[in-house]
Amino acid sequence: MRYTDVSDQLDEVLVTEEQLLARLEELAREVERDYAGTEVLLVGVLKGAVMVMADFSRALRDSVQMDWMAVSSYGNGTQSTGVVRILKDLDTDINGRHVLLVEDIIDTGLTLSWLRENLMSRGALSVKILAALRKPDAVVADIVPDYLGFDIPNKFVVGYGLDYAERFRHLRDVAVLSPHVYAKGE
Ligand code: 5GP
């Protein structure tokens, strides 16, 4: 871990920046092939998907458009509540558009399952999902990403866009947050 000032708050690195970038390149080739001749709108889910959106969109050779939504499902805790609130809506009318939802992580899948329904109800022609990371509980909500970076164990992770109480998003790698950090509510 290259961030020495927080190294005592992190356990092991699960996925490195190099692994993420290499995998996103592979996924970009798949997306180019699957959407050949079709205009796709990438929809990023703020704030966690900022890094994956930046890296994935730049790995694409075909031009795309981008828009953002912000939803809240976790607050400052580490457990999914299943409650989704739209904090910032799309600027784009997605009626008749092919949408690729770009997400940081699928835990229970409740957020994405809700989002996919929400976008389909606005008349999107298709809504597919790209997620950088997936945890084992994703099977519960029956969410199968069309494009997946890595499966990780059921641990609370930070970095590469993922936060704990708005911290750690800037870390380049995905690392496990030491339980003592959220036990103390630091
Ligand atoms: P889900 O609805 O799939 O249970 O939760 C999805 C959202 O919860 C993610 O977009 C992310 O914001 C948050 N989340 C789930 N697991 C983690 C984790 O391990 N670390 C962090 N920082 N956020 C997580």
Side-chain angles (χ1 to χ4, degrees):
M1 176 54 62
R2 38 197 134 190
Y3 295 91
T4 50
D5 67 325
V6 292
S7 59
D8 64 329
Q9 297 167 54
L10 303 172
D11 290 347
E12 79 269 34
V13 169
L14 288 184
V15 193
T16 64
E17 177 186 30
E18 291 73 19
Q19 289 171 317
L20 286 159
L21 291 176
R23 183 69 187 126
L24 290 178
E25 283 288 341
E26 291 174 358
L27 294 179
R29 301 293 84 75
E30 281 182 41
V31 167
E32 285 161 5
R33 196 187 57 221
D34 296 350
Y35 287 91
T38 317
E39 224 187 13
V40 61
L41 175 71
L42 302 181
V43 170
V45 186
L46 292 168
K47 307 170 193 170
V50 164
M51 307 300 177
V52 53
M53 177 70 113
D55 289 335
F56 173 70
S57 61
R58 289 179 300 172
L60 287 170
R61 295 174 188 145
D62 296 338
S63 58
V64 283
Q65 292 176 21
M66 238 183 259
D67 202 349
W68 300 91
M69 277 180 88
V71 298
S72 142
S73 58
Y74 262 33
N76 278 351
T78 58
Q79 293 295 308
S80 184
T81 59
V83 178
V84 179
R85 244 178 348 129
I86 295 185
L87 305 176
K88 184 223 169 284
D89 209 344
L90 296 173
D91 297 325
T92 315
D93 178 5
I94 60 168
N95 187 25
R97 302 290 306 268
H98 290 284
V99 173
L100 179 55
L101 262 170
V102 176
E103 251 291 33
D104 46 10
I105 189 166
I106 307 179
D107 183 4
T108 61
L110 288 169
T111 310
L112 275 177
S113 139
W114 186 91
L115 267 173
R116 189 171 56 184
E117 284 307 308
N118 182 280
L119 298 184
M120 283 308 287
S121 74
R122 304 183 197 197
L125 284 181
S126 68
V127 179
K128 287 193 180 187
I129 293 170
L130 179 148
L133 305 166
R134 175 173 64 179
K135 291 195 196 173
D137 282 348
V139 291
V140 177
D142 198 22
I143 278 286
V144 181
D146 301 277
Y147 309 97
L148 176 65
F150 297 91
D151 274 308
I152 61 165
N154 202 8
K155 295 184 172 172
F156 191 80
V157 292
V158 292
Y160 200 64
L162 290 162
D163 75 313
Y164 174 67
E166 295 303 330
R167 296 166 60 213
F168 309 105
R169 289 192 198 276
H170 64 293
L171 303 182
R172 290 174 178 270
D173 305 322
V174 174
V176 177
L177 186 67
S178 295
H180 74 81
V181 178
Y182 49 86
K184 276 194 292 186
E186 267 175 24

